[in-house]
Amino acid sequence: MRRILSVLMENEPGALSRVVGLFSQRGYNIESLNVAPTADNTLSRLTLTTTGDDLKIEQITKHLNKIIDVVKVVDLTEGAHVERDTLLVKVRAEGAQRDEVKRTTDIFRGNIIDVGPATYIVQLTGPIDKLDSFLSALGEAEILEVVRSGVAGMARGEKVLTI
Amino acid sequence: MEQLSGGDMIVRALEDEGVEYIFGYPGGAALHIYDSIFKANSVPHILVRHEQAAAHAADGYARATGKPGVVLVTSGPGATNAITGIATAYMDSIPMVVISGQVQSHLIGEDAFQETDMVGISRPIVKHSFMVQRTEDIPSIIKKAFYIATTGRPGPVVVDVPKDLTHPEHKFDYEYPESVSMRSYQPSTKGHSGQVRKAARLLLNAKRPVIYAGGGVIQGEGSELLTQLARKLNYPVTNTLMGLGAYPATDRQFLGMLGMHGFYEANMAMHHSDVILAVGARFDDRVTNTVSKFCPGAKIIHIDVDPASIAKIVPVDVPIVGPVTTVLKDLDAQIDQQQASSERTMPDAEAIADWWSQIDNWRAAHGLWHGRRYGESDLIMPQDAITALYEATNGEAYVTSDVGQHQMFAAQYYKFDYPRRWINSGGLGTMGFGLPAAMGIKLAMPDAEVACVTGEGSIQMNIQELSTCAQYNVPVKIVNLRNNYLGMVKQWQDMQYDSRYSESHYASSLPDFVKLAEAYGHVGMEIKDKADLEPAIYEAFAMKDKLVFLDIFVEPDEHVYPMHVAPSGAMKDMWLSKTERT
């Protein structure tokens, strides 16, 4: 089962490598990873998606908590939450495809953020299944390059991940 | 406020921590620190002959005293040489602070001379690490390093210090912090009371209970409380390899070690138990045998200070996260309370008596301390050498070991009645651990008897430390069970590879250990006859101020038994000799 773990950690050099190292060292899988400082610049917030049964996720959570730089860990998938991933895709936009890609982008409420003579860069934000559907909806358009930010997430309502 | 250089700060901080010994080896990036050591002349430094030995010596010191071991090495090869020693301490949860010199800040990342990314290379084998970035931070970083190394589940902490930050002319305010508070590190101090209540109820209702105690009981200073609890309940106790001494071996309730080379009665009791109280143990693969077949009828209570150790391998019915001392005290009180309550929950005396008679039958059948003899030979049997060592030292020595058959024989036949006396690399299984560890212990406790049980394979992995022992007059006794093979490798080759001794044989090239010991200024003794064994060991220990190397020629074809049948066996499936199995 896919899980989203949110980790609050000290904004210290080496902290990220400890988290990433833990996953490779113990044979856990990272599907996506997103990390940046928070409003409190002594803290970083890391969102990580992984897969595993309850037992494995429990172990991952415990080991994450053991890392000295980690302040808090929450499994967002345990409760109501929102998740967003941002996609940038560079597509060939020539001939009939130029209009077709534009139409598909509009349907998905994406934005074309760069227009070249023969290419577009489309930006799209949403849950990962929406992004996946968009990529397959591009159909015959030639995808030149894809970059995704990785999932960022938060619990809904009053629940707050803070120290 | 006092102004100190970075190098002076490090030495002063170690002094302020009450450090008794630094084990280390100088080199370019650490030279400012070494100059500070020289000038301060406060904390004694032991110059080893290889950085791996520095870490093992600090490790042995820590295991025997309960205080953190301190290591100082230079950058590059100094740091990488220490890695095996740090990993050894990590696997066995030993408190240690390792200070490594690093190339100057502006050279980092340029593949400078003797540069290695110590924080990176040590990351998977440390509890935590620091790269010092400002000289002013040194006092607080060292304070944190000791705090992290010694609290919660202990472990090694690396502090990497670029050379420019220790420069003698750059001085800053020095004040050693009195306490540490870290928002991201708050080890548990107490077990959950609801869980403790459940555990007490489960224990009091057990019919076939076993207490399974590991190294955490020793590290957490819980031996006395565990012993009290076990005696109050009259329940049998088994110790892991790391836990030997946590419960007195000569006590009637002790079943011996459990696991791969565990005692028949211990493994049988575990397999047939209905309640297991696991304390400071981690269900290591050398204990459980096949996990899916592990103790099928048992409900498990697991006490550990590290939540990640709980339910890592085996599902647990009552997990209790907390230090063994407070949890065992609470459990003991809870047991009293439940016995005094209106329901008057008492252990089922009849069931427990039946359980003991079953255990006594197992002991009588195949118990190593209950009349079972191993093979006979004209040569000295390795087990007899350990028994002779036990007798000669009244069972009170600090015994270190290396890794292999000799380690298992020592674990089986030296009956450890006290915690912190059995010092071995259980988790990582590091050959070369024994001699430097013994050195660290003897320095800490000059009046205690310290023996290093080893083999001719292991001892050669850090034999250069005979020189360190000569320099600092460290009169340990080396008990070399010489069988002319890498014994445990040979045993597996006998059992699984039709005795094809691939690269496990070197008899023709072994040194004359007697002469070698003498070359370093020590005493060497060669023992080949059975009749000489006991007198020689007594004679060696009578030489209080001499390091004695006892080269004991033992039967090379002896195997360690019992031995778990693997793969796919359960706890109860054991080879009892070369021909018998359960």
Side-chain angles (χ1 to χ4, degrees), chain B residues 119 130 292:
Chain B
V119 166
F130 294 92
S292 58

Side-chain angles (χ1 to χ4, degrees), chain B residues 281-511:
Chain B
R282 59 186 179 91
F283 298 82
D284 181 85
D285 55 88
R286 286 298 189 269
V287 163
T288 58
N289 212 358
T290 311
V291 170
S292 58
K293 296 180 182 169
F294 179 75
C295 304
K299 291 228 183 295
I300 299 174
I301 304 160
H302 192 178
I303 302 170
D304 205 292
V305 74
D306 176 11
S309 277
I310 296 179
K312 182 175 70 174
I313 310 288
V314 171
V316 167
D317 299 277
V318 185
I320 307 176
V321 178
V324 286
T325 44
T326 54
V327 175
L328 285 176
K329 263 184 220 156
D330 291 350
L331 184 59
D332 192 70
Q334 189 52 232
I335 284 170
D336 286 349
Q337 202 179 319
Q338 292 191 15
Q339 290 188 333
S341 73
S342 53
E343 294 159 33
R344 298 192 65 75
T345 317
M346 292 289 180
D348 181 341
E350 204 175 315
I352 299 299
D354 287 350
W355 182 225
W356 272 115
S357 82
Q358 169 69 76
I359 288 170
D360 287 336
N361 287 340
W362 283 325
R363 277 176 169 165
H366 301 295
L368 289 189
W369 298 345
H370 297 80
R372 185 181 174 87
R373 272 301 293 184
Y374 25 87
E376 296 293 342
S377 163
D378 293 339
L379 300 172
I380 295 168
M381 294 304 288
Q383 296 94 332
D384 288 336
I386 303 295
T387 304
L389 172 67
Y390 175 76
E391 301 290 340
T393 54
N394 290 322
E396 289 177 348
Y398 288 81
V399 179
T400 73
S401 88
D402 278 300
V403 171
Q405 285 186 319
H406 66 268
Q407 176 190 25
M408 291 301 120
F409 289 133
Q412 290 180 335
Y413 287 90
Y414 199 103
K415 300 174 185 173
F416 292 95
D417 275 342
Y418 315 99
R420 301 196 179 280
R421 300 292 171 101
W422 166 237
I423 312 282
N424 84 132
S425 167
L428 196 67
T430 308
M431 290 169 72
F433 174 79
L435 176 56
M439 219 161 67
I441 299 164
K442 187 71 182 172
L443 284 163
M445 279 170 286
D447 297 331
E449 300 289 12
V450 181
C452 165
V453 175
T454 184
E456 77 290 333
S458 284
I459 191 68
Q460 291 190 89
M461 283 213 184
N462 267 322
I463 198 154
Q464 76 286 346
E465 297 309 315
L466 287 174
S467 174
T468 312
C469 291
Q471 182 171 353
Y472 298 96
N473 185 26
V474 189
V476 300
K477 306 294 182 270
I478 297 170
V479 180
N480 185 39
L481 303 186
R482 173 179 183 152
N483 59 5
N484 293 331
Y485 287 91
L486 294 174
M488 192 57 95
V489 172
K490 174 181 179 292
Q491 174 167 345
W492 283 55
Q493 288 171 336
D494 282 332
M495 295 175 80
Q496 296 179 18
Y497 302 92
D498 294 327
S499 299
R500 290 185 298 278
Y501 300 137
S502 178
E503 304 299 322
S504 54
H505 193 215
Y506 42 39
S508 60
S509 58
L510 287 173

Side-chain angles (χ1 to χ4, degrees), chain A residues 10 13-14 17-18 21-22 24-26 40 42-43 55 58-59 62-63 65-71 163, chain B residues 90 119 123-130 133 148 153 182-185 306-313:
Chain A
E10 299 289 354
S17 77
R18 290 179 216 278
L22 164 70
S24 62
Q25 180 184 348
R26 299 205 179 257
D40 172 351
T42 66
L43 289 170
L55 217 67
E58 191 186 325
Q59 272 302 308
K62 284 174 171 177
H63 281 294
N65 269 312
K66 246 177 100 167
I67 295 176
I68 306 286
D69 288 328
V70 168
V71 185
I163 52 168
Chain B
Y90 180 72
V119 166
R123 189 194 44 71
I125 52 155
V126 294
K127 184 169 173 188
H128 194 56
S129 48
F130 294 92
Q133 287 175 318
I148 293 169
R153 180 177 179 174
M182 295 173 71
R183 62 181 174 186
S184 63
Y185 176 67
D306 176 11
S309 277
I310 296 179
K312 182 175 70 174
I313 310 288

Side-chain angles (χ1 to χ4, degrees), chain B residues 82-100:
Chain B
I83 290 291
T84 301
I86 300 171
T88 303
Y90 180 72
M91 287 295 274
D92 291 341
S93 310
I94 305 305
M96 179 184 289
V97 173
V98 181
I99 298 168
S100 52

